[in-house]
Amino acid sequence: MPKGRLEHANISVTDPDRSAALLKDLLGWHERWSGPSMGNGRTIHVGGEDNYVSLYTSEAVVGDYRKGQPLNHIAFMVDDLDAAEVIVVKHGLEPFSHGKYEPGPRTFYFFDWDGIEFEVVSYE
């Protein structure tokens, strides 16, 4: 049976530089690649060595997404949830729905500037 892992997610955002700055600060990631892409667009790949998020934009990308159409959220795991929350706020975003799941993680959620929901999880 094959085994796999998530290699990347590709999401459309209105400002990939702003989104890349958030992910670099929040996750300690780096820019892996950036350049022109399909539809006269532009893409930035931000991540670690084994996985990344592709941040795509073009004139057709308008943001203002609605939760669940089709994406509910993307979750990131961090080693310091409190520090992650400070970074999210520093970028002008509002954390909500803080939780603790037994026996597992503490979490919070936030929406980015385009309406994409993210969950931040820590097992520490």
Side-chain angles (χ1 to χ4, degrees), residues 100-106 122-124:
K100 168 105 174 88
Y101 303 98
E102 293 301 331
R106 291 175 49 222
S122 179
Y123 288 87
E124 299 297 315

Side-chain angles (χ1 to χ4, degrees), residues 17-124:
D17 294 300
R18 175 178 63 186
S19 296
L22 170 64
L23 296 180
K24 287 190 249 182
D25 286 352
L26 182 63
L27 303 168
W29 284 358
H30 64 277
E31 184 175 307
R32 294 170 44 131
W33 177 85
S34 68
S37 56
M38 64 182 207
N40 292 319
R42 180 170 163 261
T43 299
I44 301 175
H45 293 178
V46 180
E49 298 312 310
D50 297 327
N51 50 44
Y52 63 97
V53 173
S54 177
L55 304 166
Y56 170 80
T57 198
S58 74
E59 289 182 8
V61 176
V62 296
D64 196 27
Y65 301 118
R66 303 272 187 264
K67 178 178 171 56
Q69 298 178 354
L71 180 71
N72 286 311
H73 65 262
I74 298 173
F76 296 116
M77 187 170 56
V78 298
D79 61 358
D80 186 335
L81 193 70
D82 296 328
E85 185 168 2
V86 168
I87 289 167
V88 168
V89 170
K90 180 183 103 181
H91 281 267
L93 302 169
E94 186 176 337
F96 66 91
S97 195
H98 297 75
K100 168 105 174 88
Y101 303 98
E102 293 301 331
R106 291 175 49 222
T107 67
F108 70 85
Y109 295 79
F110 68 93
F111 287 101
D112 78 350
W113 307 271
D114 294 310
I116 301 169
E117 185 178 60
F118 293 92
E119 180 181 11
V120 183
V121 178
S122 179
Y123 288 87
E124 299 297 315

